[in-house]
Amino acid sequence: MRFRKKVEKDEVYIQAIQQLGSVMEHTIKQNNAVDIYEEYFDDMAEDGSVEPPSAKTINVFRDPNEHKRSAANISWYPDNAQKLAVAYSILEFQRSPPGMCMDSYIWDVESPNKPDMTLKPISPLVCIEYNPKDPHCLVGGQYNGQLAFWDTRKGSQPIEVSAISNSHSDPLYKCIFLTSKTGTECFTTSTDGQVLWWT
């Protein structure tokens, strides 16, 4: 009670209440001026020509390998929606057949029959993400926990792969680029309980 009386006498409190009072008064008058329960469109006939919502398949981007794998993650090309990168892998531990292909692909949406580019990681990709500031650069989270970096101008092999000692100990399930000055920083997560910040 004593604290409340002290606050009510404070000059800053009194000014704040006076400012809020005028805002509240304006809002109350505005609410009283409009009948929110009034039916404004009673006299309009219902238009029955509205189509029900629907979706249709335009293209299917299938794993071109003999042993089909899950499309674990996709990332749209940042400059336009003409390309998408797809990470293919089998996420069930030790269920991969011997000699399983580890490639993931970049597809052109106008050409679903053949990948535009093949990405060749050292372990299957679980996630993939385009760099929003540089559309030629991608990062991919691998099943072995390492993070791989690609520059599509330099080919299918990653230009850099994180050291195993500095990587996740479980599959790397998500990578997100940060909005930073360099445009190269990202966070990664895994089921090992770690969130790693890469620069």
Side-chain angles (χ1 to χ4, degrees):
M1 190 68 175
R2 185 175 44 172
F3 177 73
R4 183 175 152 199
K5 287 183 181 181
K6 181 180 175 185
V7 169
E8 287 174 348
K9 290 180 183 176
D10 187 11
E11 226 14 77
V12 176
Y13 174 78
I14 294 169
Q15 289 175 356
I17 292 297
Q18 287 173 342
Q19 288 175 347
L20 288 174
S22 63
V23 172
M24 280 295 285
E25 183 180 3
H26 171 73
T27 306
I28 290 169
K29 286 180 179 178
Q30 191 177 28
N31 282 346
N32 289 338
V34 177
D35 182 3
I36 62 172
Y37 299 107
E38 183 179 344
E39 292 288 339
Y40 290 99
F41 304 103
D42 275 344
D43 56 340
M44 290 184 68
E46 193 172 313
D47 186 10
S49 66
V50 177
E51 292 182 23
S54 65
K56 67 178 183 175
T57 302
I58 296 172
N59 283 333
V60 176
F61 303 94
R62 289 189 181 8
D63 183 5
N65 293 293
E66 184 181 327
H67 297 288
K68 299 303 177 200
R69 303 166 294 163
S70 300
N73 190 254
I74 65 169
S75 179
W76 283 100
Y77 190 70
D79 278 354
N80 58 30
Q82 283 301 108
K83 294 183 181 182
L84 74 147
V86 182
Y88 291 97
S89 61
I90 293 179
L91 299 176
E92 296 173 356
F93 183 64
Q94 296 184 337
R95 296 283 173 116
S96 298
M100 169 62 76
C101 178
M102 292 186 282
D103 297 347
S104 286
Y105 304 99
I106 296 174
W107 296 90
D108 186 326
V109 295
E110 299 297 324
S111 176
N113 297 328
K114 181 177 172 245
D116 193 47
M117 182 176 186
T118 302
L119 303 174
K120 297 191 167 290
I122 58 173
S123 177
L125 289 181
V126 178
C127 69
I128 195 162
E129 193 69 34
Y130 271 106
N131 183 334
K133 289 195 174 183
D134 185 354
H136 298 289
C137 294
L138 297 107
V139 293
Q142 301 182 122
Y143 193 79
N144 67 355
Q146 290 178 291
L147 185 66
F149 301 85
W150 277 271
D151 186 330
T152 56
R153 298 167 291 199
K154 296 184 178 178
S156 295
Q157 300 294 332
I159 57 171
E160 193 174 344
V161 178
S162 64
I164 290 179
S165 58
N166 297 332
S167 300
H168 291 280
S169 56
D170 284 352
L172 197 160
Y173 282 103
K174 184 69 178 168
C175 46
I176 297 176
F177 276 97
L178 298 172
T179 306
S180 64
K181 289 181 183 178
T182 63
T184 59
E185 298 178 39
C186 65
F187 279 116
T188 59
T189 60
S190 173
T191 51
D192 64 2
Q194 297 183 81
V195 176
L196 299 181
W197 184 358
W198 305 87
T199 57

